[in-house]
Structures are given as structure tokens and as C-alpha cells.
Amino acid sequence: MNTRILILFVAATTLMLTGCKSSKTLTPEQMGNKEIELPCSGYDRDSEEYFTGMGIGENTNMQNARLAALNAAKSMINAKIGGLAKGLSTDYVRTQSGAAQQDDVQRLAEREIVQVIERVLNDAEQTCEKMYQTSNGTYQSHIAIRISKKELANKMATALSDDQKLEGMFHRDQFRKWAEEY
């Protein structure tokens, strides 16, 4: 009986010690993954001065690949500043208009801000472009763009102050301060 208990004790101890063995963390490469270095990488990081975006497009037509990459880069920036624009207009309108006017004023402000964002994105500065022809004959384009945060805030302030309905309650300098702090 003691032999059985001793064997069970040794087996349990062995199982416990092998179960506690340190498990090694596998690197992505050890798991079969391969890191891919993206062209234009590094140009797509936002800074205090700029919103940035990078896009990749592939097509059998070189110009269509380029256009797809540019649109993807614009979409990336738009996604970053979309929430900012909504939050900015909501916060600003709440402090500037009465409760009865808030919804109308906010819709007008958001519409103006969205139009400004579209215009600024169309004039975005291109910071990197790389074009490749793949082994299957298609073209792959990588494009990075950026827009100035200060310029965006100024253009939003100008657009809001130019709107007749918003002009009476709009304070351009205060809005610029809000936008630059956001």
C-alpha cells in the first residue's frame, strides 16, 4: 500500500513539475509569420502638426493603382479626423447656442466641417510614393499624404464664420483655439 502511495506521489510530483515548466513565447517568425516592410512606412505617423495617412492600391492599370492608393490614404486620414470633427462641432455648438437651436446649428456646423475636410484632403501634401510591378503583371502603388492640423482648423473656422446662419453665434478665434487643442 505504501508503495502505491509512493508511486502516486512521484507521478503527481512529476506531472506537477512538468506542468510548471516555463513555456517559451514563440516569436512571430518561429510561428511561420514573415514580417513585411511597407514602402512609405514612417510617413504615416501623425505628429503635433499633421494628420497623415498611407494607402496601397493594386490594379492592372498603373494610374488606377495610384488612384486607389491615394483614395485609401485619404480614407485613413478621414477616419482619423471624422470623430474629431463631430466631437468638435458638438462641443462647440453646445457652448455657443441655446438648447432650442442646438440640433439645427450642429447639423449646419457638421456639414460645413465635412465639406472643409473634403477640400483639404483633395489638396493633401504627398510625402511618399512608391510604385511596383508585381510578378503577375499588376501595378502596386504605395502613397503617403499629410494635411496640416493648423490649416484644417483655420479653414473650418473660416467656413463656419462665412455661413450666414452660423455667423451670429460663431466666434472664430475661440473656435480656432478649440480646434487646435482638440
Side-chain angles (χ1 to χ4, degrees), residues 10-40:
V10 170
T13 305
T14 304
L15 283 174
M16 199 168 65
L17 289 175
T18 57
C20 293
K21 196 177 1 177
S22 67
S23 60
K24 291 183 179 178
T25 304
L26 296 176
T27 65
E29 290 80 14
Q30 291 170 328
M31 293 171 43
N33 298 330
K34 182 180 175 184
E35 183 176 354
I36 299 171
E37 191 170 324
L38 289 172
C40 297

Side-chain angles (χ1 to χ4, degrees), residues 2-18:
N2 284 340
T3 313
R4 284 186 183 175
I5 293 175
L6 182 62
I7 292 173
L8 284 174
F9 177 74
V10 170
T13 305
T14 304
L15 283 174
M16 199 168 65
L17 289 175
T18 57

Side-chain angles (χ1 to χ4, degrees), residues 68-182:
L70 184 58
N71 285 334
K74 287 179 181 181
S75 292
M76 182 183 279
I77 292 177
N78 201 15
K80 290 178 184 180
I81 60 180
L84 168 101
K86 186 163 181 69
L88 185 59
S89 66
T90 300
D91 291 349
Y92 183 77
V93 167
R94 283 185 183 151
T95 63
Q96 298 301 317
S97 62
Q101 296 177 315
Q102 259 183 3
D103 288 340
D104 289 340
V105 172
Q106 185 165 348
R107 271 194 297 276
L108 285 170
E110 283 180 23
R111 185 193 72 215
E112 289 297 323
I113 288 173
V114 166
Q115 289 175 355
V116 168
I117 290 170
E118 287 175 15
R119 286 192 301 269
V120 169
L121 280 173
N122 285 333
D123 296 334
E125 177 186 354
Q126 189 171 308
T127 55
C128 177
E129 180 173 13
K130 306 265 180 166
M131 181 70 72
Y132 300 94
Q133 188 166 22
T134 65
S135 60
N136 63 3
T138 62
Y139 295 96
Q140 190 178 74
S141 176
H142 298 252
I143 293 178
I145 60 174
R146 69 181 183 183
I147 61 172
S148 166
K149 291 178 179 180
K150 190 172 188 171
E151 178 186 346
L152 180 63
N154 286 335
K155 287 186 177 186
M156 284 191 286
T158 300
L160 291 174
S161 65
D162 287 348
D163 187 292
Q164 297 298 317
K165 204 166 191 179
L166 294 170
E167 185 180 14
M169 62 189 74
F170 183 74
H171 305 287
R172 185 183 299 194
D173 292 333
Q174 184 178 352
F175 181 83
R176 278 196 182 105
K177 286 179 190 172
W178 276 63
E180 287 174 7
E181 290 173 7
Y182 232 72

Side-chain angles (χ1 to χ4, degrees), residues 57-67 131 137-140:
E58 187 168 338
N59 199 295
T60 55
N61 179 294
M62 187 184 301
Q63 190 58 29
N64 288 344
R66 189 172 185 272
L67 186 59
M131 181 70 72
T138 62
Y139 295 96
Q140 190 178 74

